[in-house]
Amino acid sequence: MVSKTQDRLLRAYADFNNSGDLPWSLFDPAIEHDQREGLFLDGVFYGHDGLRAALGEIEAYWEDLTLEPEQFIDLGDRLLVLVRMRARVRDSHAELDAQIAHLWEFRDGRAVRWAVYGDHATAMRAVSATGPFGKSLAAA
């Protein structure tokens, strides 16, 4: 059974894949977007402006970027999404096909944290014992 949050995320990924934009109502105005473990960027971006800046940096180097959610793992107030990411280096034929992960945390129906991991194994390790956002998987 797909939860309301999973359904919203499925639509958000589909919107991104179709238009290259995000449904901004999904994100809390003070969203924390953590890219320190991701593939493209190294940093934490805050708020809608920070998220737009992060996406702008990615779009400067990559095109035809798609994010296809493959599996949702419910962790209580967090949701781990295992994602297949495909992209092409801008102005090139070099392509990327990677299995990444997104860890989402929601409060009052909006995403307050979105962490990106460069592979599934790193994400699973991060949420196993004491994961990001200061919570143990056992407590989820």
Side-chain angles (χ1 to χ4, degrees), residues 21-96:
D21 201 12
L22 295 169
W24 293 98
S25 64
L26 177 70
F27 301 97
D28 185 89
I31 179 104
E32 177 184 303
H33 181 53
D34 188 341
Q35 283 273 355
R36 291 175 293 185
E37 297 290 334
L39 293 178
F40 298 140
L41 306 175
D42 183 19
V44 180
F45 301 83
Y46 298 95
H48 288 184
D49 289 342
L51 189 51
R52 283 185 182 96
L55 292 173
E57 284 188 46
I58 292 168
E59 290 172 356
Y61 297 100
W62 297 90
E63 55 190 347
D64 300 329
L65 176 64
T66 61
L67 301 169
E68 297 294 335
E70 296 181 325
Q71 182 179 356
F72 288 86
I73 301 171
D74 189 344
L75 303 170
D77 62 348
R78 299 174 299 155
L79 193 61
L80 180 63
V81 184
L82 304 182
V83 177
R84 167 153 264 137
M85 179 181 65
R86 292 182 176 98
R88 187 168 43 82
V89 175
R90 188 163 293 287
D91 301 325
S92 146
H93 295 290
E95 294 184 3
L96 172 71

